[in-house]
Amino acid sequence: MRHSSIFPRLFSLCLAFPLLVSAEYTSEALPDEGRLIPPQGAYSVEIIRDSYGVPHIYGKTDADVAYGLGYAATEDDFKNVSETILMSRGLFSRETGRKGFVFDLLVRLFQFREIVDREYEQQLSPEMRAICKAYTDGFNHYAALHPERVPPGLLPATPQDIVTGFVMRTPFFFGLEREIKRLMGPRRANDVSKHSKAHPGGSFSNDLPIGSNTFAVSPKRTPDGKTHLAINSHQPFEGPVAWYEVRLKSEEGLDITGGTFPGAPVVLHGHNPDLGWAHTVNLPDLYDIYVLEMHPDDPNKYLFDGEYRDLERQETTITVKLWGNLRIPIKREVLRSVHGPVIRRPHGVYAIRFAGYGDIRQVEQWFRMGKARTREEFETALRMRSIPSFNVGYADKKGNIWYVYNALLPLRDAGYNWRAYLPGDTSATLWTEYLPFEQLPQVLNPESGFIQNCNSTPFYTTVGTGNPNPEAYGVEFGIEPPENMTNRALRANELFGGDDSITEEDFYAYKHDWKYSEHSRAAALRNQIVDTVKSDDPVIQRALEVLRSWDLRANPDNTGTTIAVLSMEPVVRAEMFGQPVPDVVALFTERAQQLYEAYGRVDVPWKEVNRLVRGDLQWGLGGGPDQLRAIYGDWNGNYLTAVAGDCYILLVTWDPDGKVRSQSIHQYGSATNNPDHPHYADQAPLFARQEMKPTWLNLEELLAHSKARYRPGEDAWQNLKK
């Protein structure tokens, strides 16, 4: 999983057409604090912080646990939890200024909050509504005790805020934001498809994500009957979709450890005693852009099946903070057609349709996945189809392993090119049904004894027999074709497929592999540079020598990795995201000179350049872009600051008798947004050394390694200082 934000880049485009009215000054008082603190006895919950600060939350009911999670997560990351709530209301720019404007605009355009308010009681079970309410009660409790941190208008948080947070984030994981960016450009980005009986349906986009791994090994491929699962999503290190580690246990059967996001009352991937799962981002074609044919005399009417229809039209006001308490309200129109939300641009009027729009049960599906105790129960949760994308890698105590290309794939007329824009004047392009769950690409218990997905095609999930057949899926689905293999997927198949007796130590080592495959794009670019660059400059000549002898590894002391990654990563990143691709030869020359100026040499050990930075502290790292030990960094001319990739890692093992144990690591620590806290960066040295820590699933073991034990409202944890 990885979330990429385009909102600040779109701000200037969206602001080009506002109706600006007078500035306003706001000053709002907080609600009475007593109303935000649940009455004594309303929830029965205890928070136990282990020696790394990870909250283990024990409650009588599932709602009790959600209340404790809301309180603990807010203690550790008040900023991102509160900003997620503001985002869900379309009020982000009110507190953050221009950086939040486009997000607010999209929340209003898609009417996410209105849909949640309308569907909240109809779609969600009473159990789920109680969990969402409990989480916000925990947030409100902490906020009431710290009014100095609370911006005006934030309190009280509501359950609808939490549900909207899930609804609004979902489409941006499968790439919708990139299409909106194209719409906001100065001219039409695509042609309009015409129907043809012979039309191939469109080509696959190269917009591949750059992160997330999962793999599982069954007893068929282990010498000791063990089953292993790697949960290894690659997220940004900071922000609203950075991982937060928790353990949740209730007397109603909830018993799970894993990762969650700010504002989420459930674990999004993890394991319970009986099973576990991981997600990686997939990019099927789940959205379409329609070009509307407007009435020549009425800009609010569009043609559909031979008749003109009225656009549904509303106005909305977005309040944007300038400085201090000065805010300006900006009015925008909100339009809808039969296809979905509508955007007017100088080059046309466009409607947007995406899979799962109107479904608000994402949070409930994740909750049901976490409560499942058998593969059949887990499949029942997946069949809700409320999470419209993400690959799923699964394993359980019985030795089952399972890969599912989870996607809500629209059933489309293959005569259109669905990667182009679609004519909006006909119901022939208005899809309403999806491919059934049982027909999705999936691999269950293959003969090879392992499955993997590293943001690549589902058609090479394993080696040997059992892979899905690509010929069964038309190009109109947009499923990643067989040739789309990341280096991580290539290496996973090489490592797991080349070892028929995988020990637990092997499994851990393969997860942290830091080599590029000989068949990878990195290897091809290395060869291109070596074969192409000609120069009399001694710096460039030395850089060529270093690159020519590079062994395709990114271990910390490797002196060839630095020039290789700095030269090739921008090329691979641009290719993955469909951006203009830089000249790798020119980039190689530029980076060689920069290295020489900064270090007086070009054969700089990788750990000196590849850095994990937290506050005033730094650690050298191994690993690199598109490796199983994935590290993505921002180059400042002297070194790379790691910003994404391997972050929260959870490795799970079931013994032959079904007993589970796991180890985890976070790139920073449990206090994700509190630099004065002892757990702000205490896991970083372990992370840099590629070491893991115990998860302490047993209460007795946990108490022997605990640092604080308290109930929400007590100060045993929040007053802990270095």
Side-chain angles (χ1 to χ4, degrees):
M1 299 166 71
R2 187 173 183 192
H3 178 274
S4 58
S5 174
I6 54 99
F7 306 121
R9 299 196 297 271
L10 288 178
F11 177 79
S12 58
L13 291 171
C14 291
L15 209 56
F17 306 98
L19 172 63
L20 188 64
V21 296
S22 60
E24 64 175 358
Y25 292 85
T26 62
S27 178
E28 300 180 37
L30 290 175
D32 177 63
E33 294 177 7
R35 292 194 293 111
L36 298 175
I37 299 176
Q40 189 171 4
Y43 294 102
S44 176
V45 63
E46 186 175 49
I47 301 169
I48 303 174
R49 299 277 187 164
D50 68 27
S51 57
Y52 287 96
V54 175
H56 298 242
I57 301 170
Y58 286 75
K60 184 174 182 180
T61 68
D62 295 341
D64 292 339
V65 171
Y67 166 67
L69 174 57
Y71 190 92
T74 308
E75 281 185 297
D76 290 336
D77 194 4
F78 181 85
K79 178 180 181 292
N80 283 306
V81 178
S82 60
E83 287 187 353
T84 298
I85 292 169
L86 291 172
M87 289 177 189
S88 74
R89 299 174 183 171
L91 298 177
F92 192 35
S93 56
R94 177 180 178 142
E95 296 304 320
T96 62
R98 59 178 292 167
K99 78 173 186 179
F101 175 79
V102 177
F103 201 97
D104 288 347
L105 181 63
L106 295 179
V107 168
R108 308 292 181 91
L109 170 67
F110 290 111
Q111 298 182 299
F112 291 136
R113 187 50 179 257
E114 290 83 352
I115 292 171
V116 169
D117 287 343
R118 183 178 67 244
E119 300 293 329
Y120 182 74
E121 294 196 4
Q122 285 68 41
Q123 291 194 29
L124 295 179
S125 68
E127 180 183 18
M128 196 69 243
R129 298 200 302 270
I131 287 170
C132 292
K133 179 181 183 303
Y135 185 92
T136 56
D137 282 348
F139 172 84
N140 290 331
H141 188 170
Y142 179 85
L145 298 177
H146 300 83
E148 73 284 354
R149 305 187 65 181
V150 180
L154 175 64
L155 299 180
T158 69
Q160 289 83 355
D161 293 329
I162 301 307
V163 177
T164 307
F166 280 83
V167 173
M168 71 182 180
R169 282 188 278 209
T170 297
F172 301 110
F173 274 105
F174 53 74
L176 181 60
E177 82 282 0
R178 288 190 290 277
E179 199 58 56
I180 293 174
K181 179 184 177 183
R182 296 184 183 106
L183 280 179
M184 301 309 296
R187 59 187 62 86
R188 181 170 294 177
N190 275 328
D191 294 330
V192 181
S193 176
K194 297 182 182 298
H195 190 271
S196 170
K197 290 184 179 180
H199 205 290
S203 60
F204 178 75
S205 168
N206 286 325
D207 289 358
L208 288 175
I210 61 175
S212 294
N213 306 325
T214 183
F215 20 87
V217 178
S218 79
K220 290 181 180 179
R221 213 171 184 89
T222 60
D224 44 18
K226 294 177 181 177
T227 303
H228 305 294
L229 173 67
I231 301 170
N232 184 206
S233 167
H234 300 161
Q235 292 297 111
F237 284 4
E238 300 182 35
V241 288
W243 285 118
Y244 179 70
E245 183 179 9
V246 296
R247 167 77 189 291
L248 309 176
K249 185 171 175 59
S250 78
E251 296 178 19
E252 293 183 332
L254 184 66
D255 186 1
I256 190 166
T257 188
T260 188
F261 289 158
V266 296
V267 164
L268 304 178
H269 66 183
H271 76 89
N272 61 38
D274 301 320
L275 59 84
W277 78 96
H279 287 306
T280 69
V281 169
N282 54 2
L283 284 180
D285 186 359
L286 301 187
Y287 59 83
D288 288 304
I289 307 297
Y290 299 85
V291 179
L292 302 185
E293 183 176 334
M294 307 307 293
H295 192 285
D297 300 317
D298 189 339
N300 293 317
K301 290 183 181 293
Y302 65 100
L303 187 65
F304 187 76
D305 281 349
E307 297 182 354
Y308 282 101
R309 297 191 179 193
D310 291 324
L311 288 172
E312 298 177 26
R313 187 176 185 276
Q314 297 176 318
E315 278 195 351
T316 189
T317 300
I318 300 173
T319 301
V320 182
K321 181 178 180 179
L322 293 183
W323 60 82
N325 287 329
L326 178 63
R327 294 171 170 85
I328 56 171
I330 299 173
K331 290 185 179 179
R332 296 301 302 268
E333 63 178 0
V334 176
L335 305 172
R336 285 181 58 84
S337 70
V338 66
H339 313 83
V342 171
I343 294 177
R344 292 190 203 266
R345 299 295 294 143
H347 43 74
V349 180
Y350 305 92
I352 304 168
R353 188 173 188 82
F354 63 86
Y357 185 51
D359 192 334
I360 71 167
R361 300 173 299 157
Q362 295 86 1
V363 62
E364 181 138 10
Q365 180 173 334
W366 265 303
F367 173 69
R368 300 296 171 196
M369 290 161 65
K371 288 277 291 228
R373 289 305 184 92
T374 65
R375 195 194 68 80
E376 291 74 21
E377 290 177 356
F378 189 82
E379 180 174 332
T380 298
L382 288 183
R383 284 178 175 272
M384 289 179 65
R385 312 297 300 278
S386 296
I387 302 171
S389 67
F390 299 142
N391 296 294
V392 176
Y394 167 97
D396 65 31
K397 70 178 184 180
K398 293 184 177 180
N400 293 304
I401 59 173
W402 189 24
Y403 163 77
V404 181
Y405 188 88
N406 177 63
L408 204 57
L409 298 172
L411 294 176
R412 300 174 168 117
D413 183 339
Y416 288 96
N417 178 359
W418 294 91
R419 289 293 184 179
Y421 290 166
L422 284 307
D425 61 351
T426 171
S427 56
T429 59
L430 191 68
W431 45 264
T432 58
E433 297 180 339
Y434 303 100
L435 187 72
F437 176 85
E438 57 272 13
Q439 295 181 31
L440 293 174
Q442 47 192 295
V443 177
L444 175 63
N445 293 329
E447 282 302 313
S448 66
F450 82 92
I451 57 99
Q452 65 79 26
N453 185 272
C454 301
N455 307 117
S456 52
T457 180
F459 304 121
Y460 288 124
T461 295
T462 191
V463 297
T465 61
N467 281 309
N469 179 9
E471 295 181 1
Y473 301 94
V475 72
E476 68 271 15
F477 292 122
I479 297 172
E480 297 88 333
E483 61 268 23
N484 282 85
M485 291 287 284
T486 61
N487 174 72
R488 289 168 287 115
L490 291 169
R491 286 296 291 160
N493 277 348
E494 290 168 2
L495 292 167
F496 292 106
D499 185 347
D500 59 7
S501 183
I502 299 171
T503 66
E504 189 168 346
E505 292 73 21
D506 293 335
F507 188 78
Y508 277 60
Y510 294 162
K511 187 288 140 284
H512 289 104
D513 176 73
W514 46 36
K515 184 178 180 181
Y516 290 102
S517 169
E518 294 287 352
H519 304 289
S520 68
R521 183 67 172 130
L525 286 171
R526 177 198 61 179
N527 296 339
Q528 179 184 343
I529 295 170
V530 169
D531 293 341
T532 304
V533 174
K534 308 295 181 185
S535 176
D536 295 330
D537 187 322
V539 172
I540 305 304
Q541 289 179 345
R542 176 57 181 151
L544 282 171
E545 292 175 6
V546 172
L547 187 62
R548 188 177 290 111
S549 61
W550 181 48
D551 61 2
L552 296 177
R553 299 181 187 275
N555 48 298
D557 295 314
N558 197 305
T559 56
T561 309
T562 299
I563 185 61
V565 170
L566 290 180
S567 301
M568 297 183 297
E569 192 276 341
V571 175
V572 175
R573 184 192 296 253
E575 290 173 344
M576 285 180 170
F577 287 98
Q579 300 167 348
V581 179
D583 181 349
V584 70
V585 171
L587 196 56
F588 170 77
T589 302
E590 176 187 344
R591 292 293 194 249
Q593 296 291 356
Q594 289 177 342
L595 280 175
Y596 189 77
E597 291 172 8
Y599 294 91
R601 56 192 290 197
V602 293
D603 56 341
V604 184
W606 182 226
K607 65 184 178 183
E608 294 186 23
V609 176
N610 196 33
R611 310 294 292 175
L612 178 65
V613 180
R614 186 67 159 161
D616 296 329
L617 302 175
Q618 290 192 20
W619 299 264
L621 299 175
D626 197 22
Q627 293 193 328
L628 292 176
R629 172 52 163 175
I631 301 293
Y632 300 92
D634 285 342
W635 172 245
N636 64 10
N638 289 292
Y639 58 84
L640 288 158
T641 299
V643 296
D646 271 1
C647 42
Y648 171 62
I649 305 169
L650 181 62
L651 301 181
V652 192
T653 294
W654 282 272
D655 291 334
D657 60 2
K659 184 178 180 181
V660 68
R661 49 196 165 77
S662 58
Q663 296 187 57
S664 67
I665 195 66
H666 189 279
Q667 79 279 2
Y668 292 147
S670 66
T672 59
N673 202 31
N674 185 354
D676 295 327
H677 206 279
H679 297 295
Y680 180 67
D682 62 320
Q683 294 186 48
L686 295 176
F687 178 84
R689 296 194 299 267
Q690 301 186 162
E691 296 179 9
M692 310 286 286
K693 63 177 183 57
T695 53
W696 291 303
L697 304 176
N698 177 275
L699 180 58
E700 184 176 340
E701 291 180 349
L702 170 63
L703 292 177
H705 297 88
S706 63
K707 201 166 188 179
R709 187 175 186 178
Y710 62 104
R711 300 180 184 278
E714 299 173 356
D715 62 2
W717 180 249
Q718 61 205 31
N719 289 334
L720 184 63
K721 300 294 182 182
K722 289 183 179 179

